[in-house]
């Protein structure tokens, strides 16, 4: 009878821990070099995306719907890296591995949210290229500032709702087992694996998020480029085809940089055993390197951005020359 009471009490107990312990990057020799590399990646990401954001804001020729999407990508890259890298460095470089329960859920939300926005910003870029190449005469009437603002606003609101729901469902879990999260951040899967009650709803929601974050965007982007290649195959001029494809190269590079590492990591995890530390390092790079490379790709591969940089440099130089040649009012002394 006593045993039955104890079991009933245990089943009714809902355990919400004060803290979790992040166990990532354990027993890796010379790991401080990797932390130094992450610090370098973060500094360059801030500088690169900060420069791109400033350039789009300051140069009026870039105040177009296309560069509204690029601005959104740079902002998301900057926010995503800021949500992840400083906290990773603080946690592991300074050995502050314990994280408060609510802070863990916030950490989970922001890292996953900004990764999701990056994915759907690439979809929005694909839509822009589809209209530009397949419906060139109607481009300026379809792709307007209002329509792009509406699309991006919908993406942000929709993803906030979905990811907040997924993270919120973690609150229904009871953590009566180990509190050690086998990851470098409060990732959804490793946290849910610590629960001792039914997690089927959480895993169903996570599966839906994988579809929303990776599968649906990738299908849409592939379908977009199939339509683009069909449209280009109907044009007779080879020069026109090359000119049109040239406008897509930056976007295609960004798509490869974002989706290829995620795909390789997930396929490798499903088909073979990967050392947990190797998986975590690979996952860290998957989250951080695209944000570093995106502004570099746009700066080097996009003619409009290069022209805007030259224009901004020229304007800055002329302003300095004017300031130097301007007569100084304080130089004239009345006799």
């Amino acid at each position: 009878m006593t045993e039955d009471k104890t079991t009933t009490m245990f089943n009714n107990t809902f355990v919400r821990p004060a803290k979790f312990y992040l166990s990532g990057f354990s027993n890796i020799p010379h790991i401080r070099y990797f932390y130094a590399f992450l610090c370098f990646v973060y500094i360059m990401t801030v500088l690169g995306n900060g420069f791109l954001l400033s350039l789009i804001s300051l140069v009026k020729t870039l105040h177009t719907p296309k560069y509204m999407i690029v601005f959104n990508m740079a902002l998301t890259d900057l926010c995503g890296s800021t949500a992840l890298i400083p906290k990773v460095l603080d946690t592991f470089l300074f050995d502050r591995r314990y994280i408060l329960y609510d802070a863990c859920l916030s950490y989970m939300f922001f890292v996953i949210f900004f990764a999701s926005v990056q994915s759907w910003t690439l979809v929005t870029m694909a839509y822009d290229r589809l209209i530009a190449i397949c419906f060139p005469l109607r481009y300026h009437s379809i792709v307007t500032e209002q329509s792009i603002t509406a699309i991006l606003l919908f993406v942000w609101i929709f993803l906030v709702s979905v990811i907040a729901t997924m993270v919120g469902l973690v609150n229904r879990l009871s953590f009566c087992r180990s509190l050690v999260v086998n990851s470098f951040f409060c990732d959804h899967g490793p946290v849910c694996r610590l629960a001792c009650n039914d997690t089927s709803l959480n895993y169903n929601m996570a599966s839906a998020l994988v579809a929303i974050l990776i599968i649906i965007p990738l299908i849409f982007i592939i379908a977009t480029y199939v339509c683009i290649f069909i449209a280009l195959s109907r044009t007779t001029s080879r020069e026109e085809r090359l000119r049109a494809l040239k406008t897509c190269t930056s976007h295609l590079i960004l798509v490869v940089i974002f989706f290829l590492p995620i795909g390789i990591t997930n396929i490798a995890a499903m088909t073979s055993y990967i050392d947990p530390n190797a998986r975590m390092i690979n996952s860290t790079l998957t989250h951080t390197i695209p944000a570093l490379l995106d502004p570099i790709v746009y700066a080097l591969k996009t003619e409009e951005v290069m022209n805007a940089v030259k224009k901004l440099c020229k304007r800055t130089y002329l302003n300095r020359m004017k300031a130097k040649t301007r007569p100084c009012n304080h130089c004239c002394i009345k006799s």
Side-chain angles (χ1 to χ4, degrees):
M1 186 73 177
T2 312
E3 206 173 306
D4 289 343
K5 274 187 178 178
T6 308
T7 307
T8 306
M9 283 177 68
F10 180 78
N11 287 339
N12 291 334
T13 301
F14 184 84
V15 181
R16 177 176 291 175
K19 296 177 180 179
F20 286 111
Y21 181 86
L22 299 173
S23 69
F25 306 128
S26 299
N27 305 316
I28 301 177
H30 311 298
I31 189 62
R32 286 181 177 270
Y33 293 113
F34 182 66
Y35 299 147
F37 172 71
L38 281 183
C39 188
F40 169 77
V41 166
Y42 181 63
I43 291 166
M44 296 308 295
T45 300
V46 170
L47 291 175
N49 286 289
F51 174 75
L52 192 56
L53 289 169
S54 303
L55 188 70
I56 294 169
S57 300
L58 294 170
V59 179
K60 288 184 178 180
T61 54
L62 298 181
H63 293 181
T64 61
K66 177 184 172 181
Y67 283 95
M68 285 173 65
I69 307 170
V70 176
F71 187 94
N72 187 73
M73 175 62 85
L75 180 64
T76 307
D77 286 341
L78 187 59
C79 293
S81 293
T82 302
L84 182 66
I85 298 177
K87 185 61 181 172
V88 167
L89 294 175
D90 179 62
T91 301
F92 300 107
L93 189 59
F94 301 105
D95 201 26
R96 295 169 183 161
R97 291 172 178 257
Y98 283 98
I99 183 169
L100 294 171
Y101 178 84
D102 289 335
C104 185
L105 295 192
S106 299
Y107 195 9
M108 184 191 298
F109 171 82
F110 285 110
V111 172
I112 297 171
F113 170 70
F114 287 118
S116 303
V117 176
Q118 286 173 338
S119 178
W120 279 93
T121 303
L122 290 171
V123 171
T124 313
M125 285 180 175
Y127 167 75
D128 172 78
R129 292 299 83 209
L130 175 71
I131 303 301
I133 293 170
C134 296
F135 308 99
L137 299 177
R138 297 178 59 196
Y139 176 78
H140 293 290
S141 62
I142 297 172
V143 181
T144 61
E145 289 184 9
Q146 291 78 10
S147 66
I148 294 300
T149 302
I151 290 169
L152 294 176
L153 197 60
F154 172 78
V155 165
W156 279 66
I157 293 169
F158 173 71
L159 292 174
V160 162
S161 306
V162 171
I163 295 159
T165 303
M166 185 189 76
V167 173
L169 286 172
V170 175
N171 283 315
R172 62 182 283 280
L173 301 178
S174 180
F175 298 93
C176 53
R177 296 174 187 164
S178 169
L179 302 179
V180 178
V181 179
N182 293 315
S183 184
F184 61 97
F185 79 105
C186 288
D187 202 357
H188 183 264
V191 170
C192 288
R193 278 193 282 274
L194 302 177
C196 52
N197 56 341
D198 182 29
T199 57
S200 56
L201 181 59
N202 300 78
Y203 283 115
N204 288 339
M205 193 68 193
S207 299
L209 185 70
V210 169
I212 292 167
L213 173 61
I214 301 170
I215 299 168
I216 296 172
L218 203 51
I219 289 170
F220 187 91
I221 291 167
I222 291 168
T224 297
Y225 276 98
V226 167
C227 294
I228 286 171
F229 288 129
I230 289 169
L232 291 177
S233 67
R234 291 171 182 168
T235 59
T236 52
S237 171
R238 185 171 176 272
E239 287 180 4
E240 281 181 21
R241 287 178 204 166
L242 291 173
R243 200 182 305 122
L245 284 172
K246 195 178 177 183
T247 65
C248 299
T249 51
S250 297
H251 177 250
L252 284 170
I253 292 168
L254 298 187
V255 169
V256 171
I257 288 169
F258 183 83
F259 285 105
L260 190 63
I262 293 174
I264 290 170
T265 303
N266 288 317
I267 291 166
M270 287 187 289
T271 56
S272 61
Y273 172 78
I274 303 175
D275 179 75
N277 284 325
R279 179 180 53 79
M280 278 184 257
I281 288 173
N282 191 25
S283 187
T284 309
L285 296 175
T286 300
H287 276 85
T288 55
I289 296 300
L292 168 69
L293 296 179
D294 288 353
I296 298 170
V297 169
Y298 254 92
L300 297 178
K301 295 294 293 180
T302 311
E303 194 176 332
E304 291 161 306
V305 173
M306 292 299 290
N307 290 337
V309 170
K310 290 173 187 174
K311 192 180 289 186
L312 190 62
C313 291
K314 188 178 179 181
R315 189 199 302 171
T316 307
Y317 174 76
L318 289 173
N319 287 340
R320 283 183 181 176
M321 290 301 292
K322 282 179 185 176
K324 283 181 182 178
T325 55
R326 193 177 294 152
C328 181
N329 294 329
H330 301 291
C331 295
C332 301
I333 302 171
K334 290 182 181 178
S335 55

